[in-house]
Amino acid sequence: MGELLLRIGELASRAGVTTRTVDFYTGIGLLQPAGRTDAGYRLYPSSAVDLIATIRHLETHGVCLDDIAHALHGKPVDVARLLARLEADLTALRLAAESAGPDAQTILAILGARAHALITTAIEIAAASPLT
Amino acid sequence: MGELLLRIGELASRAGVTTRTVDFYTGIGLLQPAGRTDAGYRLYPSSAVDLIATIRHLETHGVCLDDIAHALHGKPVDVARLLARLEADLTALRLAAESAGPDAQTILAILGARAHALITTAIEIAAASPLT
DNA sequence: TTGCTCCTCACGTCACGTGAGGTGGC
DNA sequence: TTGCTCCTCACGTCACGTGAGGTGGC
């Protein structure tokens, strides 16, 4: 159980960001040090490297840091139920699209493309961290 | 074919925004006047009222104005194909989720919830504007 | 004159950082 | 001494407006 702990400089360098960014993320509660040294240096679990990668990934998809922080500290979610809901959504969307005019279809295209991008990202993240 | 045309004040008041906002949207290409009066006053089609409502709707879902403008002026999209792609996405996501750990599932929850919100919005818009 | 519009320049706000600078441990 | 860290205050940037002010038609 000897978990590897990293100081801010090491974490930042492994994650490819600046210490300032790690500091900022820590300040807003996105990252939490596992502890402190006697001198007050923050010590992060090595899993924080992946977490930062995930955060950056989510950011590029327009998820605000606040939402990420909430989800990270919230209770776990029933993914099966989430998937079932999305399936039902799609069926309803198909119905709605059939009776929609050209302008509405353009809007559907924006939202649909976004949903596609989100799900693709979700798949990437899920595939990349099978045991995290 | 006598289409109703609105000046900026009338449009703003019907859409529930300020003339300044209409002016701003027009400036960035989101709205396009159907024409001008001899004195240079912009004349908007009455459909711009709904368009503004749609824009506000999309904005609340984090779609940036640039994306909206592009979609509005881009070529129409094959919605059936979009739906098929989303369906395939869901299947892949289901597979990925099965082998994902708890942290990844949290991320899936954020993205899934976003996708759900997007699709719900799409359905609302499609249902509200059957012939637009 | 009054209210409407046009246009432009500048300022305000919010999210997301980033820089700098002084501090103390290593 | 050197490089690392802590913390704080302020500044930078980008999207999205918003205010103000001078102009001319109605």
Side-chain angles (χ1 to χ4, degrees):
Chain A
M1 295 302 173
E3 203 183 349
L4 178 58
L5 295 176
L6 307 172
R7 283 190 307 177
I8 194 171
E10 180 70 12
L11 170 57
S13 128
R14 291 197 190 193
V17 298
T18 65
T19 60
R20 200 63 198 75
T21 299
V22 174
D23 191 33
F24 176 71
Y25 282 173
T26 305
I28 62 176
L30 262 184
L31 296 177
Q32 281 173 331
R36 296 262 184 173
T37 68
D38 288 347
Y41 289 8
R42 287 169 287 209
L43 294 172
Y44 296 90
S46 56
S47 60
V49 176
D50 296 318
L51 185 49
I52 290 172
T54 298
I55 291 167
R56 299 299 247 193
H57 220 148
L58 290 172
E59 279 197 86
T60 68
H61 285 281
V63 182
C64 73
L65 299 183
D66 225 45
D67 287 357
I68 300 174
H70 277 130
L72 289 174
H73 302 138
K75 59 184 83 167
V77 178
D78 186 342
V79 174
R81 163 167 297 184
L82 179 61
L83 284 166
R85 193 171 57 169
L86 284 175
E87 203 117 341
D89 286 343
L90 270 194
T91 303
L93 180 57
R94 188 182 308 278
L95 273 176
E98 277 169 8
S99 60
D103 253 32
Q105 296 209 345
T106 301
I107 305 301
L108 294 191
I110 307 181
L111 296 170
R114 293 222 143 204
H116 170 67
L118 285 175
I119 295 175
T120 301
T121 301
I123 292 170
E124 281 167 18
I125 292 176
S129 59
L131 286 176
T132 315
Chain B
M1 293 298 179
E3 203 183 350
L4 179 59
L5 296 175
L6 308 173
R7 283 189 308 176
I8 193 170
E10 180 69 14
L11 170 58
S13 131
R14 291 198 191 190
V17 298
T18 66
T19 60
R20 201 61 199 76
T21 299
V22 174
D23 191 32
F24 176 70
Y25 283 173
T26 305
I28 63 177
L30 262 183
L31 296 178
Q32 283 174 330
R36 297 260 183 175
T37 67
D38 288 346
Y41 290 9
R42 288 168 287 210
L43 294 172
Y44 296 90
S46 56
S47 61
V49 176
D50 296 319
L51 185 48
I52 290 171
T54 299
I55 291 168
R56 300 300 247 196
H57 219 148
L58 290 172
E59 278 196 87
T60 67
H61 285 281
V63 183
C64 72
L65 299 183
D66 226 44
D67 287 357
I68 300 174
H70 277 130
L72 288 174
H73 302 136
K75 60 185 84 167
V77 178
D78 186 341
V79 175
R81 163 167 296 183
L82 179 63
L83 284 165
R85 193 171 60 168
L86 285 174
E87 202 118 341
D89 287 344
L90 269 193
T91 303
L93 180 58
R94 187 183 307 279
L95 273 176
E98 277 169 8
S99 60
D103 254 32
Q105 296 209 345
T106 302
I107 303 302
L108 295 191
I110 307 181
L111 297 171
R114 292 221 146 207
H116 170 67
L118 284 175
I119 296 176
T120 300
T121 301
I123 293 169
E124 281 167 18
I125 292 176
S129 58
L131 287 177
T132 316

